[in-house]
Amino acid sequence: MRSRLIQVAIVFTVIFGLWEWRMGLISLWPNHNLSGQRSVTQLAVAQRDQPLIIDSGRGDFVDRFGRAITGKTIQTLALFPHAGERGSHEQLVRLASLLHMNVKELHDKVSGVKQPILWTDDGAFEPIALSASELQELTNIHLEGIRVVPYRLRYLMPYSASQSIGYVSQHPERVRAEYGHEYATGLMKLDAVIGASGLERSLDRLLRGGRETMASYYLDAAGQPLRGLGLRVVSPVNRLYPLTVVTTLDLQLQEQIDHYIDFQGLKEGAVVVLDTATGDIAAIASRPALNPERIGLQGTDAANHAIRATEPGSIFKLVTEAAALEAGVTSPDESFHCTGEYGKYGLSDWKHGGHGDLTLREGLAHSCNIVFATIAERLHAKQLSATAYRLGIGHQAGWHSEKPIGPIMGPLRLLMEEESGMLFATTPVADDGGLLAQTGIGQRDVKLSPLQAANMVVTIVNDGKAFQPRLVKEIRYANGQRFVSFPIQRAPEPKGRISPATADELRKGMEDVVAEGTGYTIRGGIWQLAGKSGTAEVIRSGKSLVNQWFIGYGPTKRPRYAVAVLAENRLPNSPNQATQLFRGILDIVAQHDKGLGAK
């Protein structure tokens, strides 16, 4: 009897040992295939379909009043793989009717599903949002693997300020370069979706702080739905993420301006509206527009023309006058005589026969090339460059910080793609009269951006003190608490200073531009305005074209907004589209400002 018990014990010990060995193999090599059978891990995976990402967890953008610029949750249909019949023919007929398609098309589409997908129209990139009535009808339709899910749209039509907000994409090279540690440690894959431009790029590390929300449809090993499980939506529980970026934009004003410039036919160019009290960007538009869902779509442009430097023409005469006044080489009452020809360098005035006798202030009002070529030649190149620099030209003018932002970001520039602009292609070895004369009227090598032009106007109306224009006010946690703020910043000395007397004279000259000069056509609007027009000759692909500008502010007595309008690559001798748009945009701004005051 005792020997039999010992034998039984040995048998159980062997069996237990084999079981331990098998479990050890499964633990150490979970995908190891024993005897050609599926592993425990494979069987477990088979019980659930691939998850469908319905919310990336990426932080969103809102305007200064909290209105959503990105991020909207819609109810849409999701299709999950299914091995058997999805339901009765009657149910398929009802769903086909709801989706406005025939039954065969529906059957073919749902039968071909190999991985979870969202329901879209043919050729569309975004899923279809279901209406309340459609959702109600779907409660009476029961088909396996077809479920309603909450999906988070990233970009919202009409894609306001799209180039400045930016877009996301896959970019393996940048993942390696900018997320090397995360990639090396397995926290990030090369195919990760990251910010590709605009604020999406400059704030990418902060925006990526959230976790994805997944929708899963549970199946057994045979591909049949597991009763009692069905669809499961798993959301991260984190009271702090995703973050919300509060921009300085006024979304209502932005959309009104977008609609207006499109209706008026601005094909290429930009509009920038700055708050003169803070330097904040209230609206910023670039044309051609960008569709962030379809990068490279014909007729669109990812380049942000509002921060891209281009030829300015006569709006640069404000810089030339400021430099001459600061250097003491002229005065507002100095008299000049314009015959229409400068007499050297092949330079002439835009007005045939010239302007006759006129003062410096009148020269600005009538945009006389002869006056400004004359005073430019009196300057040293360094004097002209230094004044331009103080007015925000020749360096990136937008908000930036040399100190770390928050716990996970180093020094930051909000508008990473902003171009610096320039006066001279190469540093002049000696003062060249022809170079200075052509530069003084905004030609030759001079380039600046609409943002810089608008910021220059802000500097002029603030007695020579310059701001660093902001596009972001602050970033908040998901619970509403502030994560980090971006304070209003003035440009540090000596960058941001021309004398109050010089700024005052420029304002008077800009008022005369509208009262009696080249901007007289914009009189008679809601506000009395001041500004400066400009036309720059450019060559594009061997063709002679012009850049048309108008920059200024309103109202003149108590300036509220500074505006820069650029219409690029227009036909020579065509009406100044920028001037026409400036008047309409300031009327929109005035009406909008009145509405805000009423609130």
Side-chain angles (χ1 to χ4, degrees):
M1 181 68 177
R2 183 177 180 182
S3 62
R4 180 173 293 180
L5 289 174
I6 292 173
Q7 290 175 351
V8 171
I10 291 172
V11 170
F12 274 103
T13 300
V14 171
I15 292 173
F16 183 76
L18 289 172
W19 183 82
E20 286 274 2
W21 171 76
R22 183 181 178 89
M23 290 301 100
L25 283 178
I26 293 173
S27 298
L28 293 172
W29 300 285
N31 295 319
H32 185 66
N33 195 323
L34 299 174
S35 303
Q37 298 179 358
R38 304 177 76 185
S39 71
V40 172
T41 300
Q42 290 170 327
L43 289 172
V45 171
Q47 291 179 341
R48 189 179 68 180
D49 194 13
Q50 299 174 22
L52 177 67
I53 299 174
I54 56 175
D55 185 348
S56 69
R58 191 173 180 86
D60 279 314
F61 296 93
V62 299
D63 80 345
R64 64 175 69 178
F65 302 108
R67 293 178 288 226
I69 298 174
T70 63
K72 177 184 177 182
T73 299
I74 63 170
Q75 300 296 318
T76 189
L77 277 183
L79 306 183
F80 297 89
H82 182 70
E85 291 294 325
R86 292 188 179 269
S88 68
H89 180 72
E90 178 189 357
Q91 295 289 302
L92 281 172
V93 169
R94 295 181 66 177
L95 182 59
S97 175
L98 182 67
L99 298 175
H100 307 291
M101 59 192 309
N102 63 53
V103 178
K104 184 179 184 307
E105 289 175 334
L106 175 61
H107 182 271
D108 291 344
K109 185 163 186 173
V110 300
S111 298
V113 174
K114 304 300 181 184
Q115 59 184 9
I117 60 171
L118 296 168
W119 190 274
T120 62
D121 278 331
D122 291 339
F125 286 79
E126 288 295 345
I128 299 172
L130 297 169
S131 66
S133 61
E134 289 171 333
L135 288 170
Q136 179 61 39
E137 180 66 22
L138 280 166
T139 61
N140 301 314
I141 299 175
H142 305 286
L143 292 166
E144 297 294 353
I146 302 177
R147 294 291 183 269
V148 175
V149 298
Y151 178 74
R152 187 76 173 171
L153 291 172
R154 179 65 186 166
Y155 299 111
L156 311 179
M157 293 183 69
Y159 308 130
S160 299
S162 54
Q163 285 97 337
S164 297
I165 296 299
Y167 64 96
V168 295
S169 69
Q170 293 176 325
H171 205 305
E173 294 79 9
R174 280 194 41 232
V175 169
R176 286 194 184 96
E178 299 176 20
Y179 291 93
H181 174 72
E182 291 86 343
Y183 170 60
T185 55
L187 296 176
M188 196 168 180
K189 297 180 179 179
L190 286 180
D191 62 354
V193 174
I194 60 175
S197 71
L199 294 179
E200 290 277 27
R201 181 176 180 183
S202 61
L203 300 175
D204 190 58
R205 283 190 176 273
L206 300 177
L207 293 168
R208 288 175 53 82
R211 294 288 181 261
E212 297 167 337
T213 296
M214 304 284 194
S216 298
Y217 188 69
Y218 288 79
L219 305 173
D220 62 19
Q224 297 299 315
L226 284 173
R227 300 303 176 187
L229 288 178
L231 179 70
R232 288 291 183 269
V233 175
V234 180
S235 301
V237 180
N238 190 328
R239 68 184 186 87
L240 299 180
Y241 289 88
L243 300 174
T244 297
V245 178
V246 182
T247 71
T248 59
L249 296 172
D250 183 324
L251 188 59
Q252 187 178 53
L253 178 63
Q254 177 75 46
E255 290 179 348
Q256 288 175 331
I257 290 174
D258 281 336
H259 176 75
Y260 176 73
I261 63 176
D262 288 337
F263 181 77
Q264 294 296 326
L266 179 63
K267 300 300 182 184
E268 189 174 358
V271 175
V272 177
V273 180
L274 300 183
D275 186 322
T276 58
T278 61
D280 284 349
I281 300 172
I284 183 168
S286 176
R287 292 297 180 272
L290 170 69
N291 182 335
E293 302 287 359
R294 301 185 65 182
I295 305 304
L297 181 68
Q298 186 176 5
T300 67
D301 189 358
N304 191 346
H305 293 238
I307 58 175
R308 190 173 69 175
T310 190
E311 297 84 351
S314 292
I315 66 168
F316 189 78
K317 290 173 181 174
L318 292 167
V319 179
T320 305
E321 180 172 339
L325 291 171
E326 296 280 278
V329 299
T330 188
S331 66
D333 297 327
E334 182 180 359
S335 181
F336 301 84
H337 183 71
C338 170
T339 64
E341 297 297 329
Y342 192 50
K344 50 185 175 180
Y345 316 128
L347 194 151
S348 60
D349 191 60
W350 63 269
K351 183 178 181 181
H352 183 70
H355 289 92
D357 294 326
L358 69 177
T359 64
L360 176 63
R361 188 181 298 174
E362 290 170 336
L364 183 69
H366 296 283
S367 199
C368 177
N369 287 343
I370 308 306
V371 169
F372 285 89
T374 300
I375 62 174
E377 273 207 89
R378 297 175 185 173
L379 293 167
H380 298 296
K382 289 183 178 180
Q383 291 174 312
L384 193 54
S385 293
T387 302
Y389 200 86
R390 290 197 293 273
L391 287 169
I393 302 165
H395 63 94
Q396 292 171 303
W399 193 100
H400 66 281
S401 173
E402 302 298 333
K403 298 178 180 179
I405 302 296
I408 62 173
M409 287 198 70
L412 173 67
R413 183 171 292 279
L414 289 173
L415 298 168
M416 294 179 66
E417 299 97 343
E418 182 191 359
E419 296 183 359
S420 298
M422 65 178 182
L423 265 66
F424 306 108
T426 58
T427 303
V429 177
D431 292 327
D432 180 303
L435 176 62
L436 287 168
Q438 291 173 331
T439 300
I441 62 172
Q443 291 287 167
R444 192 67 176 250
D445 304 323
V446 184
K447 289 188 177 182
L448 58 86
S449 71
L451 176 65
Q452 290 173 318
N455 193 45
M456 176 171 64
V457 175
V458 171
T459 302
I460 291 170
V461 301
N462 280 283
D463 289 329
K465 298 177 182 178
F467 287 100
Q468 294 178 5
R470 293 187 302 176
L471 189 54
V472 176
K473 294 176 65 176
E474 62 185 12
I475 299 178
R476 293 187 174 274
Y477 287 113
N479 63 5
Q481 293 180 343
R482 182 181 294 156
F483 170 70
V484 65
S485 63
F486 299 80
I488 296 169
Q489 290 185 172
R490 289 192 180 275
E493 304 289 354
K495 294 180 183 178
R497 188 68 176 173
I498 60 172
S499 71
T502 296
D504 182 60
E505 180 56 35
L506 293 177
R507 290 196 298 272
K508 290 176 180 176
M510 293 171 75
E511 290 177 17
D512 285 352
V513 167
V514 177
E516 59 187 50
T518 55
Y520 73 94
T521 58
I522 68 173
R523 292 176 298 179
I526 298 174
W527 281 345
Q528 185 176 351
L529 305 177
K532 182 70 186 79
S533 61
T535 302
E537 298 174 358
V538 299
I539 303 295
R540 301 286 187 257
S541 302
K543 185 177 181 180
S544 295
L545 299 169
V546 293
N547 285 345
Q548 297 171 340
W549 292 80
F550 202 96
I551 65 175
Y553 60 91
T556 55
K557 299 302 180 185
R558 298 184 65 182
R560 288 280 295 111
Y561 294 95
V563 176
V565 182
L566 165 64
E568 288 183 272
N569 302 325
R570 300 261 296 164
L571 292 175
N573 301 316
S574 61
N576 191 319
Q577 188 180 30
T579 302
Q580 298 169 351
L581 291 174
F582 183 88
R583 170 77 272 171
I585 289 168
L586 262 297
D587 281 346
I588 291 170
V589 170
Q591 291 172 332
H592 182 74
D593 194 62
K594 183 179 179 180
L596 290 178
K599 294 179 181 177

